Amino acid sequence: MKNILTLSILAFQFAIAQPGNVTEKDATLATGTDSTPFLRASSKSMPKVKGTVYINEEWEQASVTTLTENKVVRLLARFNAYSKEIEILKEKDFVALKPVDGISVLLHGKSFVPFKTNTSSKTIFAESMIEGKLSLFRVFDIKIVKAVSDATLLNVENEDRVTMIDKLYIRDTSGKITMLPRKRKEVLSIFDGDTQAFIKKEKLSLKKDVDLISAINFYNTNNGKSQ
């Protein structure tokens, strides 16, 4: 059995080293869903409500990069905001990527990386918006909006609905990860004087992603991008 497992892993490594696209079927057949360090069974649990838990319900090609192996695999995938999983299409079923160290995924025009909030021990996938001495991440989630108790009587929608929400987290120069404060004064306190002056001069709104990223980029550039 050990020899078979070794041959399977070698076959997978050979497959992803080849030029061109590698399908999920190729990767899964080469490794098997139990032996690969990147795939696992999806939780497949989601609320039975009106709406979607996916950023995009359609399967899209994702580029999965492993820094440890410096290899790229292209698979059909989608992001589930309820389970915070990246699901991988496997014929008529699907599995999920493990958020292991050194993995990154380009999907839906976003870069997803393993992430752990300051309030949870579970590692999930989150969008990496900018990284450096200060780094910004977006964690997707869903909110279930309950139907009113007398919906039928009022002749209004009587189904629970799901809406997608997100929260921003910042990793500071010490490596500490916290949710981005809501108050402008508290957000400004994260930056040094030069960056605060830049924010004031450029009239940046720290509630807008593009402006917040501009402020963080300015800080990282002035203070050295790497941690």
Side-chain angles (χ1 to χ4, degrees), residues 201-217:
K201 178 183 177 182
E202 299 297 323
K203 299 180 180 179
L204 300 182
S205 170
L206 299 181
K207 291 186 177 181
K208 295 181 179 179
D209 291 351
V210 63
D211 287 359
L212 181 59
I213 290 173
S214 292
I216 294 175
N217 187 57

Side-chain angles (χ1 to χ4, degrees), residues 5 8-9 12 24-40 90 95:
L5 177 58
S8 296
I9 293 175
F12 174 65
E24 189 278 334
K25 183 178 179 181
D26 293 334
T28 302
L29 288 176
T31 61
T33 56
D34 293 331
S35 63
T36 172
F38 308 116
L39 298 178
R40 64 173 172 78
K90 178 192 173 188
V95 292

